[in-house]
């Protein structure tokens, strides 16, 4: 499921960086497109006395998710995400990426936490002009160890 501003949803993202010199508290990351991870549940087949039954197995989430960030005109968002990616490569990542999903009235309706998160790809800066307004955005691929959704 992909959500975007076009259908009234958007997201505000934050990184919670543990044991890092990078301060991301002052930066609000505005997300214009994102996709929640796909979720699959395995089935275990049980055979007994000639009967076959399936019971639920483990739940598995896809381990990466694409995100599209709006970049501010001073490129502060880009530099911050670049620093986060470079910092993750140096040490074991224990960071949390938190995405708060908002409706068209800017009310938070859900929160998605990605534990053990690290950025694996940052696209080149992309420029788009619509109605004489220029928007800069980047696509980011986020990998993580655990996905924790919660409804607010």
């Amino acid at each position: 499921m992909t959500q975007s501003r076009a259908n009234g949803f958007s997201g505000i993202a934050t990184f919670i960086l543990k044991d890092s010199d990078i301060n991301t508290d002052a930066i609000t990351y505005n997300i214009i497109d994102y996709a929640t991870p796909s979720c699959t549940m395995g089935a275990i087949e049980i055979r007994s006395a000639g009967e076959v039954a399936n019971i639920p197995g483990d739940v598995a989430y896809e381990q990466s998710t694409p995100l599209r960030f709006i970049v501010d005109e001073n490129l502060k968002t880009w530099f911050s995400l670049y620093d986060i990616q470079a910092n993750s490569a140096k040490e074991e990542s224990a960071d949390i990426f938190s995405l708060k999903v908002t409706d068209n009235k800017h009310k938070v309706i859900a929160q998605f936490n990605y534990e053990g998160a690290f950025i694996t790809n940052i696209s080149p800066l992309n420029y788009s002009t619509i109605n004489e307004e220029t928007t800069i955005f980047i696509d980011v691929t986020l990998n993580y160890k655990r996905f924790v959704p919660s409804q607010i």
Side-chain angles (χ1 to χ4, degrees):
M1 176 177 78
T2 299
Q3 304 289 336
S4 70
R5 289 185 301 170
N7 61 12
F9 292 88
S10 62
I12 300 169
T14 57
F15 279 93
I16 302 166
L17 302 174
K18 297 178 180 171
D19 302 324
S20 174
D21 295 332
I22 300 170
N23 180 10
T24 61
D25 294 338
I27 299 174
T28 299
Y29 300 95
N30 291 305
I31 304 242
I32 55 174
D33 284 310
Y34 59 91
T36 58
S38 62
C39 175
T40 57
M41 178 178 288
I44 300 170
E45 188 175 281
I46 305 289
R47 295 178 182 265
S48 176
E51 298 291 319
V52 177
N54 288 314
I55 61 171
D58 292 332
V59 174
Y61 291 102
E62 187 177 316
Q63 297 296 300
S64 68
T65 193
L67 305 161
R68 179 168 284 175
F69 290 85
I70 295 176
V71 178
D72 56 287
E73 60 189 31
N74 295 323
L75 303 181
K76 189 175 180 181
T77 300
W78 185 88
F79 281 108
S80 175
L81 291 169
Y82 178 83
D83 287 345
I84 290 168
Q85 183 183 34
N87 189 59
S88 292
K90 293 179 187 174
E91 56 195 64
E92 176 73 22
S93 177
D95 302 335
I96 296 172
F97 174 76
S98 179
L99 173 60
K100 292 181 180 176
V101 182
T102 58
D103 64 13
N104 58 356
K105 295 178 182 162
H106 305 291
K107 178 184 174 199
V108 176
I109 58 172
Q111 181 167 327
F112 302 140
N113 288 330
Y114 300 84
E115 297 175 356
F118 57 98
I119 297 170
T120 57
N121 184 53
I122 299 174
S123 75
L125 291 168
N126 295 286
Y127 295 84
S128 175
T129 304
I130 300 172
N131 298 332
E132 299 180 16
E133 184 176 316
T134 300
T135 302
I136 307 169
F137 63 90
I138 53 174
D139 295 316
V140 171
T141 302
L142 183 74
N143 279 44
Y144 53 90
K145 295 177 182 170
R146 186 168 177 243
F147 175 66
V148 183
S150 60
Q151 190 173 14
I152 299 192

